[in-house]
Structure formats: C-alpha cells, structure tokens
Amino acid sequence: LESRAKVIAVASGKGGVGKTTIVLNLGYAMAKIGKETLILDADIALPNLDIYTGLESPPISLLEVLGGNASTRHAIYELHFGLKILPCGGSLQALQEADLSKLKDVIEDVRGEYDYILLDVAAGLSKFSLIPLTLADEIILVVNPEPASILDAQKVNTVSRMADTKVAGLVINKDAKGFQDIGVKLGIPTLGRIPDSKVVVMAREMKLPVIAVKPNSDVAQAFMRLAARITGAPVKTGKPSLIRRILGIKNV
Ligand SMILES: Nc1ncnc2c1ncn2[C@@H]1O[C@H](COP(=O)(O)OP(=O)(O)OP(=O)(O)O)[C@@H](O)[C@H]1O
Ligand SMILES: [Mg+2]
C-alpha cells in the first residue's frame, strides 16, 4: 500500500496573522522530527513563502506547473534539514495563465513521497483560499488574540465545515499573556500557542526558521511542541523540567 501524505491547510480569516510564518516554522519542526515534509505556497495571488525562505525568483514554481508549462517535480526545492518547498512564483503573466483547478493534480503528483504537505493558503474566503481548503485533509486555523481575527476565523470554520474539510484545530499566534484560550469558545481544540516574539521578526529578516536561529527560545520551543502534537511524536524541549521528567508529564 502506497503511503500518502496528510495534507494540512494553514488558513485564516483575517490576513497578516502569521500563516506563512507557521507554515515555514511548523514545516521545519516536522522535518526535524524526521517527517518527510513539503511546504507549498498555495497563496497564488499574493505568495510570500519564497521570500521568507530566501528562495527568491526560483526558475520554476507552482504558477508554471498550474499553467501547464512544467512538471511538479521540477518546481520542488530543498531547504534546510531536508525540508522541501514548492514555491509559487510571482509573475503576473504566469498568474494569468495558471489554472488553480490543477492544484489537485499537483498534490496528487507528489503525495506518495511525503508524510505531510503543508499548504500556505490565502486569507479570507475567495476562490484562492476555498480551492486549497477543499483539497486538504485537515485545516489549521490561525488566529491572533484580537476580536477581528477571531470573528473571521469563526467564519472560515463554518465554511470549512460546510465544505466537509475537518478543522483539526487552532493555533493562537502572536499570543499575549493572560489571553483566554478561545478554542473553547469556538469549539475547536487549541493545538498550540505561539508567543509574540522578536525572534520571529529576526529570523524572518535572516530568511531562516526560528528553530535554526534561536533553538532555545520560547517561540522555537512552541513550534517544536506544535509539531510534536500534530505528528504525535514525543515532545522534546531544550529545557526539560526535572519534576515533569520524574512524574512523566509531557509538556503540551
Ligand atoms: N509569533 C510572532 N511574533 C512576532 N511577529 C510575528 C509572529 N508571527 C508572525 N509575525 C510577523 O507578522 C507579520 C505577518 O506574518 P505572516 O506573513 O506570516 O502572516 P500571513 O498570515 O501569512 O499574512 P498574509 O495573510 O498577508 O499572507 C510578519 O511580519 C511576521 O514576521
Ligand atoms: Mg502569508
């Protein structure tokens, strides 16, 4: 039996909440755990996974594949730790020729080679986000601790249910101390809480994952825990607490 990657869409209602940041850092953490992972920029109108990884203007990218001008395999590149990326490319000409309905075939082409495929999805509920959402096995909703972000996430949650794609859970990004766990309110499990951190901005400027830049930072550890939770791998943090080890309690 051929193994098939689990396809996880990272989505949000409101823009700018941290989807691209989470796709890169979660993907890197999964690869570090030993999972074959592909990150795919499905935000085809406004892609930015390329520039977050230093892979600017790759010769062949998703738009060329969706335009029927290249094969999927030729658009995949290797980043650190075996993490693979399928960048989108930013040419407006190629965007006009791209047929988003071919994304399904692109995923099918490489599904047998990975454990996980993470889709960086456009914000909101346009066709640019709806098509990738319906192709995913599961959706991770990204929210920030602010009312507009939560309200918009609620809408995406409702629409995803209507589209029959399971919402696996919530990631609260740019988390603030004292912020309530709104997963409970939305009826969605909270998979992780990523602190608002200068390390994220620093790593983005260096075009590297936070785990590569500051592996012992709170934010790097939060990404490792998130990856462990999603893959079911045991949690290893850089600062294991003695009491927790003695009691055999996992950090969640
Ligand atoms: N945990 C965090 N702490 C601090 N800054 C963050 C954090 N997460 C993301 N950011 C910053 O917030 C900005 C938006 O992040 P990102 O581009 O990942 O969001 P996005 O949801 O992909 O946006 P878009 O909807 O435009 O695609 C970036 O400048 C990023 O560096
Ligand atoms: Mg983005």
Side-chain angles (χ1 to χ4, degrees):
L1 199 90
E2 199 197 6
S3 70
R4 281 161 62 82
K6 182 179 268 190
V7 179
I8 302 177
V10 177
S12 73
K14 198 174 169 299
V17 295
K19 294 174 298 295
T20 304
T21 301
I22 287 169
V23 166
L24 170 63
N25 287 287
L26 174 61
Y28 186 76
M30 285 170 147
K32 228 175 137 76
I33 285 171
K35 302 294 177 189
E36 287 293 331
T37 307
L38 174 71
I39 57 176
L40 188 159
D41 197 345
D43 188 353
I44 71 164
L46 296 167
N48 36 46
L49 196 52
D50 336 30
I51 59 161
Y52 278 46
T53 55
L55 193 73
E56 265 129 292
S57 26
I60 300 172
S61 57
L62 180 65
L63 290 182
E64 281 73 45
V65 182
L66 295 178
N69 298 313
S71 73
T72 306
R73 266 176 194 77
H74 288 135
I76 294 177
Y77 302 82
E78 182 161 349
L79 298 170
H80 312 80
F81 265 105
L83 175 62
K84 305 283 197 326
I85 179 171
L86 205 168
C88 182
S91 143
L92 289 176
Q93 172 76 33
L95 178 61
Q96 273 184 325
E97 289 166 14
D99 175 3
L100 194 53
S101 69
K102 285 199 187 126
L103 185 62
K104 186 175 203 281
D105 304 326
V106 171
I107 293 170
E108 287 306 320
D109 281 345
V110 292
R111 224 180 157 148
E113 292 157 39
Y114 296 96
D115 298 313
Y116 292 94
I117 299 177
L118 301 182
L119 306 181
D120 188 2
V121 180
L125 289 167
S126 68
K127 73 165 180 185
F128 291 118
S129 55
L130 289 177
I131 292 178
L133 288 181
T134 55
L135 295 176
D137 297 312
E138 287 183 1
I139 296 167
I140 292 177
L141 270 179
V142 183
V143 292
N144 292 159
E146 48 166 280
S149 165
I150 296 163
L151 189 69
D152 293 358
Q154 237 162 340
K155 267 191 202 158
V156 177
N157 182 38
T158 306
V159 171
S160 304
R161 274 170 201 207
M162 279 157 38
D164 266 348
T165 309
K166 180 180 157 200
V167 175
L170 212 66
V171 172
I172 302 172
N173 188 37
K174 305 187 195 181
D175 197 13
K177 280 205 176 78
F179 178 66
Q180 256 186 319
D181 185 347
I182 46 133
V184 180
K185 194 177 153 210
L186 298 182
I188 311 168
T190 298
L191 301 174
R193 302 181 66 149
I194 312 292
D196 194 335
S197 163
K198 276 185 285 195
V199 178
V200 174
V201 178
M202 190 171 102
R204 195 202 65 220
E205 281 164 4
M206 295 169 79
K207 302 176 193 300
L208 288 169
V210 294
I211 299 160
V213 174
K214 288 238 185 274
N216 290 327
S217 60
D218 289 346
V219 65
Q221 310 250 327
F223 278 118
M224 286 309 291
R225 282 196 300 273
L226 178 63
R229 170 108 186 233
I230 291 168
T231 60
V235 181
K236 268 191 240 146
T237 66
K239 308 174 211 160
S241 128
L242 180 63
I243 302 288
R244 280 177 176 264
R245 258 186 304 158
I246 291 168
L247 297 176
I249 300 170
K250 279 192 201 164
N251 293 328
V252 179

